[in-house]
Structures are given as structure tokens and as C-alpha cells.
Amino acid sequence: MNFHVLTLFPDMIRQGLHTSVTGRALDRGLIHLNTVNIRDYSKDKHKHVDDTPYGGGAGMVMQPEPIWLAYEELTCGMQDKPRLIYVTPQGKTFTQSMAEEFAACRDLIFLCGHYEGVDERILEEIVTDYVSIGDYVLTGGELPAMVMIDAVSRLIPGVLNNQESAEFESFQDNLLEHPHYTRPVEFHGRKVPDVLLSGHHANIDRWRRQQSLKRTLERRRDLLNTARLTREDLMYLDSLGWKEHNKDE
Ligand code: ADE
């Protein structure tokens, strides 16, 4: 899997991703990162890459030509037209299923905007996906690109070790995870739930499932509409008043 990032801040991307799990995956060659500094493609003697907006208004707009030249050089050796993700708050919200779709690509290109935006004409020409990481505005596209690269990387075989993959399994069914505890048995007067100390695996499994359901109901009730629920789950949720909540919506 090859990640390419067109950016004005390549160091930020490199430093962020050469850390922790993605850093380990890069060192092992399981994923590749290619940062392209858009400024290197400016023909301006001062290496400017932005200019004032036609029609007036505040802020600066990134010019199309340096981005085009960077894109052209990057893609000229690629067989198929690669997916190019423009990270923008105006895009579709990034989800786990998008991460899965992107993880099937050989090459993924991210374009990180800055200033007030990017000249529309270059976007029309090269962008295949407009993607946001949420309804808030950041100063640039680098953090969103890193968020997406992290989420896609952990789906690449070998990137997570066995323990990390096992943790992933427990996120299945569209439910939030149950709470976790480790030593000591008592901390600041708070005790680990007795069931977890009982050694009774069936009871522990049932308790964890119920905690997942309760937590999802309390924190992300919207997820329950698409969660895979058994008859026993539904009975437990009913006992917590889920049906009544639903009727109120
Ligand atoms: N650029 C600035 N804010 C952003 C966001 N929320 N998502 C993606 N790209 C962005």
C-alpha cells in the first residue's frame, strides 16, 4: 500500500506517521509513505503557491499550477488513475467502511489544502473523493490525512500484531467496547467488578456483552439501529428502557 501526500508541510506528515504502529509498519515496509512538497513545484521566484481570490474577499487561495505539476509527476508512472482524496470539511464524513474501501487500493493520494482553499479548477480535474473527518474546521488538511492513513494502515495485513488485532475483533457488531480493568483490585476505593474475578467465563462474557450494550445505549444510541443484536441483547436493552427511548425519537 502506497500513501502519497501532496502537502505544504511534509515534515508534519512524516513525523506524525513515523511513530507508534504506523512507524513500525513503515520501518517494516508494510506500508509506504511518499510526501510531496507542493512548494517544490512553484515556478515563482519566491516559491509562492497561493494568491488573492478573484472577486475579492479575505484570505489566500492555493494556485492550481504547482498542484498540477506535482500530481502529474507523481502519477505519470502509475498504470490506473489513482484515487485522490481531497481532505476538506465539505466532504463526506470518513467512516470505518471508507477506510476498508481505501485499504483495497494500491496507491492513495491525499491532497492537503491550506489558507482559504484551493482553486476549484484543479480540484475538478484530479479529485476522486472529497472526505472530511468531522464537522469542525482545522487549519489544514495534514491532520485529517494522517487520521485517514492511520485508520487505513491498521487494516493492512501484518500492521497490527496479534494482540492488537484481537482488540479489533471486539469492536465487531457495531457496539462500543465493554470497560477494561487491570491490577490493582481496588483503586481510590473503586473495586474491579466481582464477576471479572470469578473465573466463570460464561458469566464474564455475558457481563461484557451487557456492558457493551449499556454503554452503546448511553453514549451512541444511534449505533444500536445498525448493530447485530440477538434476542437476548434485545431483552437486555428492553430492560434498560431502550424501546421507550426509541418511541420518543
Ligand atoms: N480541513 C480542515 N478541516 C477539515 C476537516 N474537518 N476534515 C477534513 N479536512 C479538513
Side-chain angles (χ1 to χ4, degrees), residues 86-94 116-118 120 123 129-138:
Y86 178 50
V87 291
T88 165
Q90 297 184 6
K92 273 199 204 147
T93 308
F94 186 59
E116 287 304 297
V118 175
E120 191 65 20
L123 299 178
D129 302 84
Y130 292 83
V131 187
S132 165
I133 61 161
D135 287 342
Y136 41 82
V137 182
L138 302 167

Side-chain angles (χ1 to χ4, degrees), residues 214-228:
K214 184 164 179 275
R215 187 160 270 207
T216 310
L217 179 64
E218 285 166 0
R219 299 184 185 178
R220 288 292 310 272
R221 188 146 51 99
D222 56 301
L223 293 180
L224 290 174
N225 298 325
T226 45
R228 269 194 286 148

Side-chain angles (χ1 to χ4, degrees), residues 91-125:
K92 273 199 204 147
T93 308
F94 186 59
T95 59
Q96 188 65 27
S97 63
M98 263 189 224
E100 282 162 21
E101 198 183 316
F102 292 156
C105 298
R106 216 175 98 95
D107 291 282
L108 267 189
I109 308 177
F110 291 87
L111 171 62
C112 304
H114 257 270
Y115 314 118
E116 287 304 297
V118 175
D119 188 291
E120 191 65 20
R121 293 164 296 180
I122 186 68
L123 299 178
E124 286 167 6
E125 224 160 288

Side-chain angles (χ1 to χ4, degrees), residues 103-201:
C105 298
R106 216 175 98 95
D107 291 282
L108 267 189
I109 308 177
F110 291 87
L111 171 62
C112 304
H114 257 270
Y115 314 118
E116 287 304 297
V118 175
D119 188 291
E120 191 65 20
R121 293 164 296 180
I122 186 68
L123 299 178
E124 286 167 6
E125 224 160 288
I126 66 175
V127 174
T128 59
D129 302 84
Y130 292 83
V131 187
S132 165
I133 61 161
D135 287 342
Y136 41 82
V137 182
L138 302 167
T139 56
E142 282 73 17
L143 286 169
M146 284 193 268
V147 164
M148 293 183 220
I149 292 171
D150 185 290
V152 173
S153 296
R154 65 191 291 289
L155 302 176
I156 306 295
V159 168
L160 296 184
N161 62 33
N162 283 343
Q163 168 131 21
E164 289 156 350
S165 308
E167 279 166 25
F168 176 60
E169 300 304 327
S170 61
F171 274 101
Q172 278 178 348
D173 295 345
N174 222 17
L175 293 174
L176 302 185
E177 264 206 311
H178 56 77
H180 301 275
Y181 299 89
T182 186
R183 270 179 275 276
V185 160
E186 189 171 331
F187 173 73
H188 288 187
R190 296 162 196 271
K191 288 196 66 191
V192 172
D194 285 337
V195 63
L196 298 180
L197 309 173
S198 68
H200 192 303
H201 293 295

